[in-house]
Amino acid sequence: MIQKKICMVGAYGVGKTSLVKRFVESIFDERYHTTVGVKIDKKRLQMEDGELTLVLWDLAGDDELEPLRLSYLRGASGYILVADGCRESTLDIAGDLHSRIAGVHGALPFVLAVNKMDLEAEWRISEDRLARVTALGWPLIRTSAKTGAGVDQTFSTLASLLLQDLK
Amino acid sequence: MTCDPGVIGIFSTLDIAVLKPTAHGVFTVAAPPPHWFLPLVADPIGDDSLVSAFPFLDSFLPNARDFWARVEAGSLRSGTWVQRDSPDSESAFEATALRALSENYLLIAMLGEEFQQRRSALQSARSRGLEKEALERRNREMERITGMTSDFLATMSHELRTPLNAILGFSALLTQGKGGALPERQQHFAGQVHQAASHLLALINDLLDLSGMEAGRMRLHPEAFTLGDELQETFSTLAPLALQRKVALRSDAGCLPLPIYADRIRFRQILHNLLSNSLKFTPEGGTVSVSAHLEGPWIEIVISDTGIGIPEAEQSLIFEKFYQVPRSKGDPLEGTGLGLPIAKGLVEQHGGKMSLRSRLGAGSSFTFTLPSGIFNRGEL
């Protein structure tokens, strides 16, 4: 059985923990629970080529109170960058984290999840901006931890990228 | 598993697992471990069993080995991790690579109260941050919507006023027979057109005033005058309505010479809106009266009536836009629900305040303040 470590990274309050909870337990909690340090979970996926276990490292949101420790990504096979569609600054933070991670750990497979699709009417990240991100070749998936939209797709897209790397 | 007697005394009282790496890549338990540790870790304790029990150590053990190789004495903390220990509960841990007395130790601690306090503090700080961001977003959105609404109203009002002025002008000419004599019935119709257009123009002007105030575009041109100057003018404008309603309009003679420093046209509008409102809600035989006195740098003006009064539940709504006190069926007097909010807004634009006292069946008093100009002319 193949086991892969993947990390959830992004600004605080974007919904990293909620995405993991939705993916692993199929539940959503409206209340905000901040993550301290790292929260680790596991999920088995049945892929075409066999079973894959994802060890999910949900890293605390990056801010001045608790800056992201890049060493946590050591041994990671890939990561999910998470931004909050309602907060434009979180896409800037995701871009910054991507550069920092690539600078330390090299180019790893990743997916950008723009979360809170259930609040799409309140989104502040413009379509133009998202189109520019897509044009960079970033795999971008709109997600909602609340409704579950795009969540499985995000993790399975990354899992496929990881397996492609193995071949 | 064997324990190192040299460190038992140090660690035995702490809720920490103390492991010592051996040369063969396995760990020995260097002090009696806490109750939670041994059920988690398979014996012999190697990297695989540690990582299986604590997946976080996968990234920390290489750092720890590097640290033990480089440093004579000191410690390296892993940072906190949280992992699930049952479907319904999770625990927080922290590992420390320790180098002391030429020996290497790996400490694994389950975090308790201190972790909860730290999480609580972070939770509060981040929740406040998220609330602040959400509030700022809402404010920006409100400003955008208010701006759009005001622009829309201003544009529409302008577009409506132009043709309306033509209707007003030509209907006035027809009523006056300037375009040739009209039969009496047609003259009456032209008069109705003129009256309806006048009402529409007043409504549009009110909307313009409101949008101007909300968009912060209203400019005041304050000047010094007396209450009497404007009161007499407004009384004569409202005399036909007072006559029609059979309501007496009175003023306290002593207040007429009192000074006001305000925008004269806007003051007239405030008076007109309040007085006409009182006239509309005062039954036949009643009185609407104006009194005033100086209160520090302000003039306080009170407009009282002997009208129907406003139910207590309605009093907080009376200054809301488009709100109208329910009227009796068949009451012919029309209103837009904008007169009072505009009057209050204009008073506030001058830095003053407006309040209402009313009792059902016993009349209402609107009190408002404006600069008297005696002390604070420079502030407007």
Side-chain angles (χ1 to χ4, degrees):
Chain A
M1 185 183 64
I2 305 167
Q3 183 163 294
K4 293 284 177 191
K5 167 182 172 181
I6 65 169
C7 295
M8 308 290 294
V9 291
Y12 72 89
V14 294
K16 298 180 293 297
T17 306
S18 295
L19 286 171
V20 171
K21 220 170 174 60
R22 166 62 72 181
F23 179 56
V24 176
E25 300 175 71
S26 301
I27 54 173
F28 175 75
D29 186 348
E30 280 284 354
R31 291 166 299 175
Y32 170 61
H33 297 285
T34 197
T35 303
V36 179
V38 183
K39 198 168 177 187
I40 297 174
D41 242 309
K42 285 185 182 181
K43 169 92 173 178
R44 284 184 184 176
L45 290 183
Q46 191 58 50
M47 307 296 285
E48 277 180 16
D49 302 333
E51 203 171 69
L52 171 70
T53 299
L54 294 180
V55 182
L56 304 163
W57 285 49
D58 173 16
L59 308 188
D62 180 57
D63 67 359
E64 68 279 7
L65 294 173
E66 197 163 287
L68 178 74
R69 292 190 189 197
L70 290 172
S71 63
Y72 286 168
L73 281 106
R74 190 171 182 156
S77 301
Y79 54 95
I80 294 174
L81 287 169
V82 186
D84 173 353
C86 302
R87 292 154 66 206
E88 193 171 16
S89 61
T90 62
L91 186 57
D92 301 328
I93 292 171
D96 176 54
L97 288 171
H98 173 65
S99 308
R100 284 164 57 196
I101 293 167
V104 173
H105 298 285
L108 294 172
F110 72 97
V111 173
L112 170 66
V114 185
N115 196 30
K116 306 197 184 175
M117 202 175 142
D118 48 291
L119 301 174
E120 206 164 6
E122 295 172 31
W123 273 29
R124 293 291 168 271
I125 300 178
S126 67
E127 286 300 323
D128 275 0
R129 191 126 194 245
L130 295 178
R132 285 202 297 277
V133 170
T134 311
L136 289 173
W138 288 26
L140 185 155
I141 298 170
R142 294 159 200 249
T143 60
S144 167
K146 186 172 184 174
T147 65
V151 177
D152 286 355
Q153 190 195 350
T154 300
F155 287 93
S156 59
T157 300
L158 183 61
S160 302
L161 291 171
L162 303 185
L163 293 178
Q164 270 175 28
D165 262 18
L166 282 179
K167 288 177 184 171
Chain B
M1 292 181 191
T2 57
C3 294
D4 183 335
V7 290
I8 288 176
I10 304 170
F11 293 111
S12 58
T13 56
L14 303 175
D15 195 20
I16 295 174
V18 185
L19 308 175
K20 201 172 163 191
T22 68
H24 313 293
V26 294
F27 292 83
T28 58
V29 178
H35 65 94
W36 49 264
F37 181 75
L38 289 179
L40 290 174
V41 185
D43 202 11
I45 304 173
D47 281 16
D48 285 350
S49 59
L50 277 177
V51 169
S52 170
F54 307 105
F56 178 86
L57 293 181
D58 190 29
S59 73
F60 184 63
L61 285 176
N63 294 341
R65 291 215 164 78
D66 179 52
F67 174 78
W68 287 324
R70 282 189 296 107
V71 175
E72 276 301 312
S75 62
L76 174 71
R77 293 173 72 171
S78 69
T80 308
W81 80 88
V82 177
Q83 64 184 58
R84 197 183 293 272
D85 39 32
S86 77
D88 302 323
S89 76
E90 52 191 29
S91 300
F93 298 91
E94 184 169 36
T96 305
L98 178 68
R99 173 104 181 131
L101 305 170
S102 304
E103 296 284 356
N104 300 327
Y105 297 97
L106 177 69
L107 316 181
I108 301 173
M110 185 184 272
L111 306 178
E113 187 65 21
E114 191 192 340
F115 170 74
Q116 295 304 339
Q117 284 172 1
R118 196 169 135 227
R119 176 145 77 177
S120 213
L122 262 179
Q123 171 87 22
S124 303
R126 286 176 169 168
S127 295
R128 277 198 303 275
L130 288 172
E131 278 163 20
K132 190 173 161 232
E133 278 186 50
L135 187 65
E136 284 168 0
R137 274 202 308 279
R138 278 200 296 274
N139 286 343
R140 279 198 299 273
E141 185 61 12
M142 285 302 292
E143 278 168 22
R144 193 182 66 83
I145 291 170
T146 305
M148 277 171 59
T149 309
S150 298
D151 288 347
F152 173 77
L153 281 175
T155 309
M156 282 307 292
S157 300
H158 177 76
E159 294 297 322
L160 288 170
R161 278 211 297 192
T162 309
L164 202 51
N165 279 326
I167 295 170
L168 273 169
F170 286 115
S171 59
L173 289 177
L174 287 173
T175 311
Q176 293 156 15
K178 296 275 172 68
L182 284 179
E184 195 180 335
R185 190 171 160 77
Q186 288 180 18
Q187 207 174 355
H188 173 71
F189 290 160
Q192 292 287 312
V193 171
H194 189 267
Q195 197 183 335
S198 300
H199 176 71
L200 198 52
L201 185 62
L203 172 61
I204 289 167
N205 285 338
D206 281 353
L207 284 171
L208 260 180
D209 284 344
L210 265 182
S211 67
M213 276 191 276
E214 283 175 356
R217 282 199 300 252
M218 178 170 278
R219 291 216 170 157
L220 299 176
H221 304 283
E223 58 182 300
F225 54 92
T226 65
L227 175 60
D229 291 343
E230 289 308 319
L231 200 56
Q232 278 159 7
E233 173 95 23
T234 310
F235 270 20
S236 56
T237 310
L238 289 170
L241 178 61
L243 206 61
Q244 180 201 340
R245 300 286 296 170
K246 296 192 174 73
V247 172
L249 259 179
R250 286 185 192 145
S251 65
D252 175 358
C255 72
L256 297 181
L258 293 178
I260 300 178
Y261 184 72
D263 185 308
R264 191 190 278 262
I265 293 169
R266 296 303 182 185
F267 175 66
R268 202 179 297 165
Q269 196 176 355
I270 296 167
L271 273 184
H272 187 277
N273 287 6
L274 292 176
L275 286 170
S276 58
N277 182 73
S278 292
L279 284 172
K280 283 180 201 169
F281 287 95
T282 301
E284 194 177 319
T287 305
V288 173
S289 57
V290 180
S291 62
H293 65 275
L294 290 178
E295 188 76 46
W298 304 94
I299 176 170
E300 189 173 281
I301 301 168
V302 183
I303 295 179
S304 307
D305 62 56
T306 57
I308 55 175
I310 301 162
E312 204 172 329
E314 314 265 342
Q315 289 181 18
S316 59
L317 304 170
I318 201 91
F319 295 113
E320 298 280 327
K321 280 180 286 187
F322 303 108
Y323 181 79
Q324 291 188 302
V325 172
R327 310 277 287 274
S328 56
K329 226 178 178 182
D331 193 330
L333 289 172
E334 55 203 352
T336 60
L338 292 174
L340 291 180
I342 287 176
K344 185 168 185 278
L346 288 173
V347 165
E348 287 168 354
Q349 293 274 316
H350 283 82
K353 286 179 182 160
M354 182 178 285
S355 60
L356 162 71
R357 277 177 53 204
S358 184
R359 207 150 52 88
L360 205 56
S364 305
S365 291
F366 288 89
T367 303
F368 64 98
T369 55
L370 286 173
S372 65
I374 295 175
F375 299 111
N376 61 344
R377 233 170 244 205
E379 287 176 16
L380 257 185

